Amino acid sequence: GDSVTQMEGPVTLSEEAFLTINCTYTATGYPSLFWYVQYPGEGLQLLLKATKADDKGSNKGFEATYRKETTSFHLEKGSVQVSDSAVYFCALSGSNSGYSTLTFGKGTMLLVSP
Amino acid sequence: NAGVMQNPRHLVRRRGQEARLRCSPMKGHSHVYWYRQLPEEGLKFMVYLQKENIIDESGMPKERFSAEFPKEGPSILRIQQVVRGDSAAYFCASSPPNGGNTIYFGEGSWLTVV
């Protein structure tokens, strides 16, 4: 079945550092890929998505490129802020069912210090 | 995630009691999904519903859990005879009638079983 693997956290960075959170996936067909962010005590917010190979999703300075050859969708940001501290979830939406159910990774906590 | 309304946000139940979680989808959305987030874990799909129909309940525990999405009113996730292991965050998500692969999450309902 489908699966998503993320790097384990927490990832601890200083403000303005470069961020990479790795995500790889296993899926049949051609899934869509997503990054969601969860701030403490809140629900999930869609951060960005990509629906086909080589697509780049971007939002709020975050980027991720759909790499079919390496089955990856790594999240990057050039300069993190304290307000980026949250848990980041990589997810995929399978293409086989005709509707959208998401398979999530376990999440990576990001802690940014001033 | 604006627009998907869940209540209660926090619920405490004693073992053996019933828990009812409600979800009103975004305006214009007719597809509802329920996910469960156990501590230190990613979200796991539970059930997918359209109005008056359960489409996919492959992620629902076989006993004590049920879900409905009536013609009028919110979707309900019902957990009978709760046990400590049911303590989790339960997230509802919705998507529009034409499908698509982006779903929008509510802020979650945190269930604590004491």
Side-chain angles (χ1 to χ4, degrees), chain B residues 25-97:
Chain B
M26 283 181 74
K27 187 175 181 181
H29 286 191
S30 57
H31 299 193
V32 165
Y33 308 78
W34 285 94
Y35 286 77
R36 177 165 64 173
Q37 183 181 29
L38 294 169
E40 309 297 324
E41 295 283 329
L43 278 75
K44 303 289 187 189
F45 167 75
M46 299 180 76
V47 62
Y48 162 53
L49 309 104
Q50 295 177 16
K51 285 282 186 181
E52 300 184 279
N53 284 304
I54 297 174
I55 308 301
D56 181 348
E57 56 181 350
S58 59
M60 287 278 271
K62 294 287 186 282
E63 297 177 347
R64 302 187 298 107
F65 285 71
S66 61
E68 63 176 10
F69 189 17
K71 188 176 180 181
E72 301 291 337
S75 175
I76 307 287
L77 179 68
R78 182 182 179 205
I79 311 171
Q80 296 178 288
Q81 299 175 322
V82 296
V83 301
R84 288 236 171 96
D86 297 333
S87 296
Y90 292 84
F91 289 95
C92 173
S94 71
S95 64

